[in-house]
Amino acid sequence: MSDANLADVQADRSKMQISDTDVAIEISGMNKWYGDFHVLRDINLKVMRGERIVICGPSGSGKSTMIRCINRLEEHQKGRIVVDGIELTSDLKKIDEIRREVGMCFQHFNLFPHLTILENCTLAPIWVRKMPKKQAEEIAMHYLERVKIPEQANKYPGQLSGGQQQRVAIARSLCMNPKVMLFDEPTSALDPEMIKEVLDVMIGLAEEGMTMLCVTHEMGFARKVANRVIFMDQGQIVEQNEPEPFFTNPQHERTQLFLSQILNH
Amino acid sequence: MSDNSVAFVATSDKPQLPAPQGTTGAVGWVRQNLFSSSLNTVLTLLSIFVVFSVVPGIVDWAFVKSVWNANSLDECRQISDGACWAVVRERYNQFLFGFYPTELYWRPILAFVLLFVALVPALWDNMPGRGKALIFSMAYPFVAFYLIWGGFGGLEYVSSSQLGGLLLTMIIGVAGISFSLPIGIILALSRSSNLPIVKSLAVIFIEFIRGVPLITLLFVAHVLLNYFLPKGVNFDIVLRVVIMVTLFASAYMAEVIRGGLAALPKGQYEAADALGLGYWQSMRLIILPQALKISIPGIVNTFIGLFKDTTLVLIIGLMDPLGLVAPTLGDQRWNGIVVELYAFIAFMFFIFCFAMSRYSMYLERKLHTGHR
């Protein structure tokens, strides 16, 4: 579907180094219920530093819930999640510590509408990292240039297009210098012509070796960037594989069904 | 090119033309807003008729035929049948200050002027040197308290029973307004919090206060509090009234602000959490600025309601402007003059309420930073 969007971008896989000893995230035996509804069933996932993982699956399959558990926007009831060597418990200090190291981009951007773009980016470094304002602004401008919108720094989010807002959201996360980035359907709320500008930024990030977990339906992106694709259905990890075999030769019948539905239209 | 051909390629840009006559400018405005439909036309003509039949009479009564110099109502009526403002001229001091000692009027006047000095930094957020000016705003309640009551440091003591008129309204109104907002914010946050004890305390407080008429609370302040307090402890009646009015307004304020908190998209809370901001940081930097902005109309509504509700203190015998009407009517010379007194009081209240309303509109415009 979006292969056309990405036709002129060639991700450079040779730069994407994956560590084979350094574990970024380890999820083992994680279960979660909403009331009586078992949304996540026995999730096991080990993410090495530098890995780019794309998570796909039908809606309601628990993929968003799973990555939201990693920075505790959702609470899991059973199992272990260890992020960057810190285990997630109900200890608020640990939660904040993990959130400082894990960046997140949302489907609806969630920029702060009462602050300018620059203030959106400097807020967390100033208040969470206790960085001097001037230094925070320099870093913010650096990342705004990275996402190619430094000229919008003094505007408000409401004045920007969706694609620009999502790029600001990415820059805002990067300003915290995170070790892991989580993307929760970052392009689902965007018009087709804006998807590319966001994906370009994400590809750039991957090339720099950022550890990324992306919930997305952009299969072109998955092919180009991911080193692992995970398919979830009904709260379980049904299949995971490298992108080439995943797309050309899916094993599980539900994966086959899902891929045939999204690729053939 | 044949008429039924589907293929089409533009060969030139179409020119930008001016809007048709009568759709822009003054004529356009009048057409669109006053005579856009037959119903609208009828309503416009009806309004013009009402304005023309009512306004001249009022102007005549209030200005043209009004009497400013007279010693009694009878004298007024002999001069003309217009408004007898002479009573206001004779007694405006009382309506402003109650029975405050005349030679000490400078103290409430100074307090009133300083109120504006204190308000400027609070209301004007890009004022130069705002940080230091805000320190004065914080200290203002104490300064005003000292100026009005005095009692030490060279200022003569003035007792609460001498306070009255607009002075009393301002004391209760300003104190109520400035304390009910922070208390309301804390109550609203408590009620929206996940901590069960904090939450239920807030719910009980809000529901209790909202379920009781303000007059009941004022009676409690006036009479019952004496029973509850230990013997010998007796604090000022004005202070008690201020506390009750503040508690009453803050319960309403809490609900208004809770509405603002609930109106914020969940994503704002999540984004703040995901960036690692703590609870108080995210409330102060992200949630409250937006929730309060949404709640401005409701907040100002509560403020104006509180300001006008201060007149209820006449029921427990305090001499606010309305309370001063009775003694004025008790004066043989002014017996029977009613409309003028109430019109004057209404005018005083209107000035303050209108100012608050205008400021809130300005604030809403200023804080508007686009959609979403």
Side-chain angles (χ1 to χ4, degrees):
Chain A
M1 54 204 263
S2 54
D3 282 356
N5 281 331
L6 294 172
D8 55 334
V9 183
Q10 274 313 317
D12 188 350
R13 277 181 177 273
S14 66
K15 287 196 220 154
M16 303 178 189
Q17 292 289 328
I18 299 174
S19 163
D20 42 11
T21 52
D22 202 354
V23 182
I25 300 169
E26 186 163 11
I27 301 175
S28 42
M30 176 178 63
N31 283 272
K32 177 172 174 58
W33 289 263
Y34 283 133
D36 282 334
F37 180 56
H38 199 171
V39 267
L40 292 176
R41 309 189 210 166
D42 191 30
I43 303 288
N44 292 287
L45 178 67
K46 194 171 177 184
V47 183
M48 307 306 288
R49 193 163 307 292
E51 273 204 282
R52 289 93 40 205
I53 294 176
V54 162
I55 303 155
C56 60
S59 68
S61 59
K63 45 198 195 312
S64 285
T65 311
M66 183 183 85
I67 69 163
R68 286 159 60 88
C69 283
I70 294 172
N71 64 353
R72 197 62 163 198
L73 290 182
E74 305 280 354
E75 197 178 328
H76 61 283
Q77 281 110 358
K78 243 178 100 183
R80 269 162 56 92
I81 302 178
V82 180
V83 183
D84 198 34
I86 306 165
E87 185 177 351
L88 258 180
T89 58
S90 50
D91 183 350
L92 288 175
K93 265 201 182 135
K94 293 247 168 85
I95 294 173
D96 280 342
E97 217 172 305
I98 286 171
R99 283 174 176 169
R100 281 199 286 271
E101 307 304 332
V102 177
M104 183 158 199
C105 291
F106 300 87
Q107 180 177 4
H108 295 290
F109 332 133
N110 298 353
L111 294 179
F112 306 129
H114 63 301
L115 300 177
T116 63
I117 300 307
L118 188 64
E119 288 165 342
N120 263 281
C121 294
T122 57
L123 185 105
I126 290 175
W127 291 93
V128 179
R129 292 241 191 260
K130 312 289 177 207
M131 196 183 275
K133 188 171 178 222
K134 208 162 161 261
Q135 191 190 348
E137 282 178 354
E138 277 166 22
I139 292 175
M141 286 313 292
H142 167 75
Y143 284 112
L144 285 175
E145 266 158 44
R146 266 272 312 268
V147 301
K148 302 193 185 72
I149 31 177
E151 71 282 0
Q152 314 281 8
N154 292 312
K155 289 194 183 165
Y156 286 95
Q159 296 165 295
L160 268 57
S161 73
Q164 288 172 326
Q165 290 194 42
Q166 192 60 291
R167 284 186 280 153
V168 172
I170 296 175
R172 176 174 74 176
S173 298
L174 292 179
C175 284
M176 285 293 280
N177 196 17
K179 295 185 174 140
V180 178
M181 283 288 287
L182 308 175
F183 292 88
D184 189 0
E185 306 206 23
T187 55
S188 304
L190 295 176
D191 288 340
E193 77 264 32
M194 293 172 184
I195 292 177
K196 180 176 173 298
E197 62 188 47
V198 171
L199 291 181
D200 282 353
V201 170
M202 290 169 62
I203 291 170
L205 264 184
E207 286 178 346
E208 282 172 27
M210 176 65 78
T211 311
M212 298 163 70
L213 273 82
C214 312
V215 172
T216 182
H217 295 125
E218 295 298 329
M219 293 306 145
F221 172 80
R223 278 214 166 102
K224 289 219 154 59
V225 172
N227 62 298
R228 219 183 330 160
V229 181
I230 291 177
F231 174 70
M232 284 183 73
D233 192 24
Q234 294 172 8
Q236 309 160 65
I237 295 181
V238 173
E239 186 165 349
Q240 57 173 312
N241 208 338
E242 289 175 15
E244 253 345 281
F246 178 88
F247 288 113
T248 49
N249 191 17
Q251 300 297 308
H252 199 285
E253 56 180 308
R254 280 189 250 167
T255 319
Q256 291 163 359
L257 179 68
F258 177 75
L259 287 177
S260 71
Q261 276 165 348
I262 66 164
L263 295 176
N264 304 327
H265 68 91
Chain B
M1 196 192 303
S2 71
D3 281 340
N4 55 4
S5 143
V6 179
F8 167 76
V9 177
T11 51
S12 64
D13 276 352
K14 303 201 166 143
Q16 280 209 353
L17 299 173
Q21 231 181 1
T23 57
T24 57
V27 181
W29 187 89
V30 168
R31 267 196 201 171
Q32 266 178 29
N33 293 288
L34 301 182
F35 302 102
S36 59
S37 66
S38 46
L39 177 67
N40 202 346
T41 310
V42 171
L43 289 176
T44 302
L45 295 176
L46 204 66
S47 310
I48 292 174
F49 172 73
V50 170
V51 166
F52 271 93
S53 50
V54 170
V55 169
I58 292 179
V59 171
D60 219 32
W61 176 80
F63 300 107
V64 181
K65 289 199 205 154
S66 63
V67 181
W68 286 89
N69 288 305
N71 275 320
S72 69
L73 182 60
D74 288 342
E75 234 177 275
C76 265
R77 292 291 179 255
Q78 275 163 19
I79 300 170
S80 102
D81 61 349
C84 183
W85 298 125
V87 64
V88 173
R89 187 185 152 101
E90 187 187 291
R91 299 208 167 221
Y92 75 91
N93 271 341
Q94 223 178 60
F95 279 102
L96 294 182
F97 301 106
F99 302 105
Y100 208 85
T102 320
E103 70 279 7
L104 299 178
Y105 276 175
W106 64 271
R107 279 161 48 179
I109 291 173
L110 181 61
F112 186 68
V113 171
L114 287 180
L115 170 65
F116 288 93
V117 178
L119 277 180
V120 168
L123 300 185
W124 180 23
D125 67 345
N126 37 20
M127 167 190 166
R130 187 179 185 224
K132 280 179 195 148
L134 272 177
I135 297 175
F136 175 73
S137 305
M138 304 282 234
Y140 176 76
F142 303 99
V143 175
F145 178 80
Y146 175 61
L147 276 174
I148 289 168
W149 276 273
F152 57 92
L155 287 189
E156 198 181 317
Y157 174 67
V158 178
S159 86
S160 287
S161 58
Q162 289 168 287
L163 300 179
L166 186 65
L167 173 61
L168 186 62
T169 303
M170 291 295 287
I171 291 172
I172 302 171
V174 171
I177 285 173
S178 40
F179 291 115
S180 65
L181 184 61
I183 297 177
I185 291 174
I186 290 170
L187 283 172
L189 290 179
S190 311
R191 193 168 183 172
S192 331
S193 102
N194 295 325
L195 308 170
I197 295 174
V198 173
K199 185 174 177 158
S200 24
L201 283 178
V203 171
I204 291 169
F205 177 85
I206 292 170
E207 295 306 337
F208 173 72
I209 296 276
R210 279 203 312 174
V212 176
L214 178 56
I215 291 182
T216 315
L217 291 178
L218 290 177
F219 273 123
V220 168
H222 183 47
V223 186
L224 283 178
L225 227 51
N226 284 343
Y227 292 104
F228 297 134
L229 292 171
K231 279 237 154 36
V233 177
N234 187 15
F235 60 100
D236 196 274
I237 180 68
V238 173
L239 183 59
R240 283 190 247 163
V241 166
V242 164
I243 290 174
M244 284 306 180
V245 169
T246 306
L247 293 183
F248 187 76
S250 50
Y252 281 86
M253 194 64 73
E255 289 299 280
V256 167
I257 294 167
R258 193 166 67 93
L261 291 173
L264 273 197
K266 205 163 140 249
Q268 292 291 311
Y269 293 86
E270 288 177 352
D273 284 349
L275 283 172
L277 293 168
Y279 175 80
W280 291 108
Q281 284 178 335
S282 66
M283 287 301 140
R284 192 164 84 73
L285 300 166
I286 310 297
I287 305 303
L288 281 177
Q290 296 184 64
L292 291 178
K293 189 197 124 189
I294 299 173
S295 326
I296 287 173
I299 292 175
V300 175
N301 207 10
T302 312
F303 281 170
I304 290 178
L306 180 156
F307 193 74
K308 293 191 297 184
D309 281 351
T310 58
T311 52
L312 289 174
V313 297
L314 83 93
I315 292 199
I316 56 168
L318 293 186
M319 290 292 164
D320 85 307
L322 278 184
L324 285 164
V325 170
T328 309
L329 292 180
D331 187 332
Q332 200 83 76
R333 294 178 296 128
W334 302 112
N335 198 351
I337 190 163
V338 176
V339 180
E340 285 86 344
L341 289 178
Y342 286 124
F344 173 64
I345 293 166
F347 178 70
M348 288 200 301
F349 274 95
F350 179 78
I351 291 175
F352 286 100
C353 295
F354 188 63
M356 282 192 259
S357 154
R358 296 303 300 190
Y359 177 74
S360 86
M361 284 161 77
Y362 154 80
L363 203 58
E364 275 180 72
R365 268 200 310 278
K366 199 182 74 119
L367 295 179
H368 184 80
T369 54
H371 314 288
R372 271 198 63 80

